[in-house]
Amino acid sequence: MSDDDQELGITESKEHSPGDWYAEVVQKAGLADYAPMGGFIVTRPRGYALWEAIQDNLDGWFKETGVDNAYFPMFIPESYLEREKDIVEGFDPEVAWVTHGGHDELEERLAVRPTSESIIAPYMSQWVRSHRDLPLRVNQWNSVVRWEATETKPFFRTKEFLWQEGHTAHASDEGAWAETTLRLDQYQRLYEDVLGIPVLRGQKPDHDKFPGADTTTTVEALMPDGKSVQGGTSHHLGQSFADAFDITFSDEDEAEKTAYTTSWGLSWRAIGALVMSHSDDQGLVLPPTVAPKQVVIVPIWQEDTKEEVEQYSAEIAAELEAQGVRVHFDDRDGRNPGFKYNEWELKGVPVRFEVGPNEVEDEEVTVVHRPDGESTVEDRADITARVHDHLDEVYEKLYDAAAERLDENVREASDRAEILGTIGQHGGYVKAPWCGDEDCEAEIKDQIAAEIVMVPLGEDSAARAASEFEGERVPEPDHEGEDCAVCGEAAEETAYFAKSY
């Protein structure tokens, strides 16, 4: 193996050392580098392109459903943050504070936003006067800082991360709940229709919901190492923030009413889930929906066939590009085909076209799928139509593998020993009856570092949610008549325990 091949290849094992493997894939596939300050990363163009693909999808769906983008300052006066006491208590250990501007000490500390409810809500209060102003929906694409990460895992856990945060105000509780579930639907749609990752959806237990929220809903994605990723959260905030920031309106009878608000966010943790879910020991694997390049064309020639092979390849590339396919023709002279295969496999290009003198003579193209190396031969005349079939097939392979993993890794337990043993042996999700007491979760967390990542949406919540995604992966409450698996008291919830990122 040459030095170049050693530098290019992945040396860690996904199965045996997933953490080291993940870090190596992220760096060698050109997604991110570590910043000089601990807990921060530099996002490289290929990594940022994945974020742009996520952003493009979500932003379009948001705007189709009445959301306008805005931008609010990254610094929040301490007095604003303190107006919502639950926010302060919930984020206090994570808040980074600015105390000086240049050499001058500030009269009031400024928080680097850990979330923006406390800076957005006061302006929503100014903008809402009448029921005619509702619903009010704004979203911003920005970064937040939470000084919690001690060990950096790019995209999964960093002190600064990119996300979107939507904030809305409504005239009724029902309107706010419909908003909450609509955004959860869109997050599920992103994971399942764009990222190729099936998810479970539910809500956080009361002790783990967003500070000040009535209900925090979540989509959870299972990774190959058996850990869960909180994929996105949508919060029904009730009237707590509206009370704190005086978001009121005059109804049709001119009576003053307090609004109901929501907030919802999805971060670049989705990129981490994408990389971890699909990639392998050869490197990055990307679904065609988000891959910066969907097809790479690699010519194979000797000196006497170079011109005809490259011309044939270039013509195919031009035709694909005209059809909207993101294609790259790798005509570098200094690298042999084998090196190019390895490099583009490492970088996650979903489909490779191989073109040699035999393909030119027979007017064909050899098509190779990145996830499994499946190879087929297509007629040259059909390739611009057939390429979309191949891209769809690659997506289906990735989704089906992830769906099978999820379906096989939701297990049941009826007592503490079963919870601990099942998670310890298999990972994944363990569903068990739970009394609702945080102390019972703490027992499991102390012994095996697993927590309750979600409970099914309650009967009232489920009845209010008219979601197109309700079905086999929208768990229904089923705890009636059972005892808590940890303490033996009467169960009030069905808890999903898992280790998580």
Side-chain angles (χ1 to χ4, degrees):
M1 180 180 292
S2 70
D3 290 342
D4 283 340
D5 288 338
Q6 180 67 32
E7 181 180 345
L8 190 63
I10 300 298
T11 61
E12 299 289 347
S13 165
K14 182 177 184 178
E15 180 181 358
H16 300 296
S17 53
D20 292 337
W21 165 86
Y22 174 83
E24 189 176 15
V25 169
V26 166
Q27 288 188 282
K28 288 189 173 179
L31 303 183
D33 285 324
Y34 293 98
M37 314 82 66
F40 293 82
I41 62 171
V42 174
T43 309
R44 299 182 63 179
R46 287 179 55 77
Y48 198 82
L50 298 178
W51 182 240
E52 287 179 316
I54 291 170
Q55 182 175 356
D56 288 347
N57 280 279
L58 282 179
D59 200 61
W61 301 339
F62 293 162
K63 288 173 180 173
E64 288 171 359
T65 48
V67 180
D68 293 313
N69 284 333
Y71 190 81
F72 294 82
M74 69 182 298
F75 298 126
I76 302 174
E78 186 172 13
S79 58
Y80 276 56
L81 207 59
E82 288 180 342
R83 287 174 67 180
E84 218 313 307
K85 61 177 176 37
D86 288 330
I87 282 280
V88 177
E89 293 172 0
F91 285 99
D92 186 60
E94 304 173 7
V95 176
W97 293 99
V98 176
T99 59
H100 287 73
H103 298 293
D104 300 325
E105 185 173 354
L106 302 180
E107 293 183 5
E108 180 179 13
R109 291 197 303 174
L110 299 176
V112 182
R113 60 182 170 222
T115 183
S116 297
E117 280 78 3
S118 57
I119 190 67
I120 292 178
Y123 289 91
M124 296 176 75
S125 175
Q126 295 179 32
W127 300 339
V128 172
R129 289 288 181 264
S130 162
H131 65 92
R132 298 180 184 86
D133 300 323
L134 299 173
L136 174 65
R137 298 180 174 98
V138 295
N139 174 70
Q140 66 173 355
W141 294 91
N142 61 304
S143 70
V144 295
V145 172
R146 297 180 184 174
W147 215 264
E148 59 172 341
T150 54
E151 182 180 345
T152 304
K153 185 177 289 291
F155 304 115
F156 277 126
R157 186 165 295 278
T158 51
K159 287 186 169 70
E160 180 187 24
F161 55 87
L162 297 180
W163 77 344
Q164 58 74 211
E165 49 179 313
H167 300 264
T168 69
H170 304 265
S172 68
D173 174 77
E174 292 78 12
W177 181 252
E179 183 78 21
T180 302
T181 56
L182 170 62
R183 303 311 160 193
L184 196 68
D185 290 347
Q186 291 176 332
Y187 293 155
Q188 181 165 7
R189 180 183 175 188
L190 177 82
Y191 274 89
E192 299 196 341
D193 293 355
V194 179
L195 303 182
I197 305 172
V199 295
L200 293 175
R201 55 186 271 152
Q203 66 187 56
K204 291 295 183 181
D206 283 345
H207 64 266
D208 194 30
K209 64 187 180 183
F210 182 79
D214 276 6
T215 306
T216 289
T217 65
T218 181
V219 291
E220 299 285 328
L222 181 66
M223 297 295 100
D225 62 358
K227 293 182 180 179
S228 183
V229 171
Q230 179 180 288
T233 50
S234 184
H235 315 287
H236 180 19
L237 301 177
Q239 294 181 308
S240 60
F241 285 87
D243 283 334
F245 293 96
D246 193 30
I247 306 176
T248 59
F249 64 97
S250 298
D251 68 9
E252 293 179 355
D253 298 324
E254 299 301 322
E256 185 174 276
K257 298 289 183 67
T258 301
Y260 295 80
T261 65
T262 77
S263 67
W264 25 278
L266 180 141
S267 80
W268 69 10
R269 182 177 292 174
I271 298 176
L274 176 73
V275 174
M276 179 69 79
S277 185
H278 300 312
S279 303
D280 57 26
D281 287 351
Q282 281 66 55
L284 185 65
V285 177
L286 295 174
T289 42
V290 298
K293 296 297 182 184
Q294 297 168 309
V295 176
V296 61
I297 301 175
V298 177
I300 307 164
W301 44 262
Q302 290 78 38
E303 283 301 326
D304 60 333
T305 59
K306 178 180 180 181
E307 184 176 349
E308 60 181 301
V309 167
E310 290 196 338
Q311 181 178 344
Y312 186 87
S313 300
E315 290 171 356
I316 294 173
E319 291 177 16
L320 294 182
E321 189 170 358
Q323 292 291 318
V325 178
R326 298 187 294 276
V327 59
H328 177 69
F329 172 33
D330 189 350
D331 59 350
R332 291 175 294 173
D333 284 344
R335 299 296 187 187
N336 63 43
F339 182 93
K340 294 176 182 180
Y341 296 167
N342 291 335
E343 181 176 10
W344 294 114
E345 286 178 359
L346 172 64
K347 292 183 176 180
V349 177
V351 171
R352 181 173 74 242
F353 285 3
E354 298 174 3
V355 176
N358 291 337
E359 281 81 6
V360 175
E361 182 178 352
D362 296 336
E363 295 190 353
E364 295 174 338
V365 177
T366 298
V367 180
V368 182
H369 293 181
R370 168 63 180 90
D372 55 7
E374 181 183 357
S375 177
T376 58
V377 176
E378 297 286 356
D379 289 338
R380 166 73 176 82
D382 299 333
I383 197 59
T384 53
R386 283 285 294 145
V387 66
H388 297 289
D389 296 331
H390 284 284
L391 296 175
D392 290 344
E393 287 170 18
V394 167
Y395 191 91
E396 289 169 6
K397 288 177 181 180
L398 296 178
Y399 184 90
D400 289 348
E404 182 179 0
R405 178 172 65 241
L406 176 59
D407 291 341
E408 292 177 350
N409 284 282
V410 179
R411 300 177 176 87
E412 297 188 14
S414 58
D415 58 41
R416 180 195 293 107
E418 276 192 308
I419 295 173
L420 296 172
T422 302
I423 293 176
Q425 181 178 357
H426 302 289
Y429 299 107
V430 175
K431 54 184 293 193
W434 174 51
C435 64
D437 190 333
E438 184 179 358
D439 288 342
C440 288
E441 181 198 44
E443 281 195 39
I444 303 300
K445 186 182 293 188
D446 289 344
Q447 294 187 57
I448 204 168
E451 59 188 347
I452 297 173
V453 296
M454 58 168 261
V455 299
L457 290 171
E459 284 88 345
D460 293 341
S461 299
R464 286 188 289 175
S467 165
E468 64 180 294
F469 290 102
E470 288 186 16
E472 61 177 327
R473 294 200 176 91
V474 185
E476 294 293 334
D478 58 359
H479 55 269
E480 292 185 11
E482 297 186 273
D483 295 329
C484 176
V486 182
C487 71
E489 298 294 325
E492 296 183 1
E493 305 271 13
T494 300
Y496 281 68
F497 289 86
K499 295 183 178 182
S500 61
Y501 281 98

